[in-house]
Amino acid sequence: MSKLTNGLLALSLLAAGFISAQEVEPTTPEETEFYEPKPPKVTPGTNGSAPSDAIVLFDGSSLDNWISAADSTAAKWILNKDGSMTVNNRTGDIQTKQNFGSIQLHIEWKSPAEVQLEGQHRANSGIFLNGLYEVQVLDNNDNPTYVNGQVGSIYKQHVPLAMASVPTGEWNTYDIIYHAPIFEKGQKVKSGSLTVIHNGVLVQDHVEIKGTTPYIGWPKNPVHGKGPLKLQDHGDNSRVSYRNIWVREL
Ligand code: MG
């Protein structure tokens, strides 16, 4: 059958109600091209700086967007002159004032050049999506630990696909896509997911979030809505620094 006969036959079947519009094979390129709705224009950032539609959470100028996670007082971490901030040991985790659901997150972090301690005690920090789900930050260079708790892991849930850290003392980037879990009537009906790109290397490929990421015990699934982005003070003089933190809400 020729293309034309085929097309005419399909049109007759469509008109007679035997098939729907979706079942008619398009015969021209234009039928599968559309122009609306137009994606918004976004001006990308350079060298980790925020794109035009991002919410900047830390650009080195102040800790004003952050509070102490324990008591909501002003964040007590150290603001450095080079546009970064550093964990102030044992002052506690900090979190954003603003709450987020699903986000794209860009964050840069650095372990101190002078190494101290071993395993999980060496420059341990972490990035908690929704305040609950930890992407591990750790100085893993020549410093083995359990692989589901190593750098780039979803802590105690997902081993990273690769170990992609730069040398200790240099800046790492994490680009993270977080989709929040969905709850209905007090139950989780869809798990959240995480994708993590570490220094341009995919280390978590849309993995399922099984629940919270505790040190001891199984993941838990408390019902929640939007939550803060939280950064960990692990309490063993980690001296981990962060800079260029921005999110785009999804
Ligand atoms: Mg940690």
Side-chain angles (χ1 to χ4, degrees):
M1 225 183 303
S2 76
K3 245 188 185 179
L4 183 64
T5 325
N6 238 339
L8 285 172
L9 177 64
L11 276 177
S12 330
L13 289 169
L14 182 63
F18 288 114
I19 56 171
S20 69
Q22 284 78 19
E23 290 171 295
V24 181
E25 176 72 22
T27 54
T28 64
E30 291 76 14
E31 285 172 88
T32 48
E33 298 164 3
F34 55 95
Y35 292 83
E36 298 290 341
K38 270 201 171 90
K41 173 98 178 79
V42 176
T43 308
T46 49
N47 294 327
S49 68
S52 57
D53 66 343
I55 300 166
V56 176
L57 296 173
F58 181 70
D59 65 1
S61 57
S62 80
L63 294 172
D64 287 355
N65 295 325
W66 302 81
I67 51 175
S68 173
D71 59 9
S72 300
T73 58
K76 294 165 192 72
W77 287 16
I78 302 154
L79 185 65
N80 304 309
K81 291 203 171 76
D82 67 353
S84 68
M85 61 165 144
T86 301
V87 179
N88 192 359
N89 193 41
R90 294 191 177 278
T91 60
D93 300 343
I94 64 169
Q95 67 185 37
T96 54
K97 289 177 181 171
Q98 192 172 344
N99 289 329
F100 303 100
S102 301
I103 51 170
Q104 172 188 352
L105 165 68
H106 176 89
I107 187 163
E108 300 176 22
W109 59 271
K110 183 175 78 167
S111 314
E114 252 175 61
V115 301
Q116 281 181 10
L117 307 173
E118 300 293 325
Q120 291 284 317
H121 300 288
R122 182 179 295 176
N124 187 332
S125 185
I127 298 154
F128 288 76
L129 284 302
N130 231 132
L132 295 168
Y133 311 119
E134 182 181 11
V135 178
Q136 178 69 299
V137 168
L138 191 73
D139 181 0
N140 252 140
N141 293 318
D142 304 312
N143 181 38
T145 184
Y146 45 96
V147 294
N148 60 344
Q150 76 168 65
V151 66
S153 65
I154 309 306
Y155 187 70
K156 290 196 171 176
Q157 285 185 30
H158 294 285
V159 179
L161 297 169
M163 194 296 204
S165 291
V166 293
T168 302
E170 296 181 15
W171 285 99
N172 288 269
T173 62
Y174 273 167
D175 288 285
I176 297 174
I177 314 293
Y178 166 67
H179 285 281
I182 297 169
F183 299 92
E184 278 171 17
K185 296 178 185 150
Q187 287 287 319
K188 186 171 80 170
V189 294
K190 189 173 185 215
S191 292
S193 68
L194 277 163
T195 298
V196 180
I197 296 171
H198 183 189
N199 297 321
V201 176
L202 182 67
V203 296
Q204 298 289 348
D205 185 8
H206 195 67
V207 294
E208 178 187 0
I209 298 171
K210 296 172 185 168
T212 54
T213 51
Y215 177 40
I216 299 170
W218 301 121
K220 306 294 185 297
N221 284 282
V223 177
H224 64 79
K226 289 184 174 187
L229 184 72
K230 188 169 83 174
L231 303 178
Q232 184 182 43
D233 168 13
H234 198 260
D236 28 32
N237 196 26
S238 74
R239 298 157 299 143
V240 170
S241 300
Y242 289 95
R243 72 178 184 188
N244 285 338
I245 309 173
W246 50 261
V247 298
R248 296 178 66 245
E249 292 183 295
L250 301 176

